[in-house]
Structures are given as C-alpha cells and as structure tokens.
Amino acid sequence: DVIADPNALAGFAPRRITTFENDFYAVGNKINEPATIFLPTKKASTDGYFFVPLTLQPDTQDGEPYDIHVWSKTSIMVVGWDQSFRYPLIFVCDGDPYVKTSWKQVDLLDSGITYEGGVNGLSVSGDKVVLVGTKLPSNDGFVLQSPDKGKTWKDITPVGATGPIEAMYRARL
C-alpha cells in the first residue's frame, strides 16, 4: 500500500479525484505507462488519505485515464485514452476493485463504434453514462451514451458536428 511508501506516487499527475462514502478514488497518468487507477488504502490512518495503485492495462501498453465514476465500492468506471491503440479507454469494475480480474475493458467495436480517439470526460445519472471525447486525426468531438453502466453504447454525436466538443467536458446529467 502507498501508505508505507510516500514515493510510490512520484510523478503521478491527477486528472480526476472523486469521493464515495468516506473514501477517495483517483485517476491520472505518468507519461508512457499503463493506465492506472488509485483506490483508497485498506489500512487505517489518522494522518490523511492514501491510495493503492492498480494498473488496468498490460505493462506493454500506454494509457491516460481522464475521468472516473464510482457507483459503489464494487461498481466503478474509468475512461480516457489508450495511447497504444489510439482508441477510447473504458474500463468497468464489477466486483472487488483491488482484484484486476474484476475490471473489464469495454470494446466499443461491439457497439459498432470504430473510430480512433479518446474519452475526455464522462457524466452519469443512475445507470446512464454519457462520454465526450475526441476523434483522431480530425480532432472532431464525439458523444457516446450507455443506458446500462457501459455494457452497450450508442454514438449520439450531433449530426454535422465538427471540431471539439469541449463545452461538454464538464457537463453533468
């Protein structure tokens, strides 16, 4: 656990920190490293909050997690950019988040979404999720919607929209 090693997070650039109950969860990145989520430590502490890092991608891949949503201690979504494959990075946890096999990478190809790019932010209301991202190489924005916590996806980008959709990065449902 990071609580015993204050240097374990050296170089970590947080993109999003969120809370659930009395715990903190974070995502961010170090350049050229696999996507990592930072979970609350399981050790008791009276001098602050500490994280336990969990690498979501294989050691041979690079990723940048940009955003996170926690429905419960066993239901979490992490989104961002898969730098190795230039594809939206989406991981969903359904189980113990400290166990890597509880995390599944969502393949948007299963929903017919084929463009390259990455996710810049997410918004959640109940089980409904909306992702906002950027296509490569055009830098046009996209909007994806899931009615079921990320199991299925639909592209709801406004017809004819070009350019970034930055105004929606911080949108909330």
Side-chain angles (χ1 to χ4, degrees), residues 52-134:
V52 176
L54 178 72
T55 302
L56 298 175
Q57 290 178 292
D59 291 341
T60 56
Q61 291 178 263
D62 298 333
E64 291 185 77
Y66 274 33
D67 212 344
I68 181 173
H69 181 78
V70 181
W71 282 278
S72 72
K73 289 185 179 201
T74 59
S75 182
I76 303 169
M77 178 180 283
V78 172
V79 300
W81 291 69
D82 184 323
Q83 300 293 11
S84 296
F85 296 108
R86 295 172 46 119
Y87 198 66
L89 177 82
I90 306 169
F91 277 90
V92 176
C93 176
D94 185 19
D96 183 347
Y98 299 89
V99 177
K100 193 168 184 174
T101 56
S102 295
W103 291 89
K104 304 296 181 214
Q105 187 165 12
V106 173
D107 188 347
L108 292 175
L109 294 173
D110 294 339
S111 295
I113 298 165
T114 60
Y115 42 77
E116 293 182 344
V119 178
N120 300 319
L122 68 95
S123 183
V124 177
S125 178
D127 291 349
K128 185 177 182 179
V129 181
V130 173
L131 303 181
V132 178
T134 304

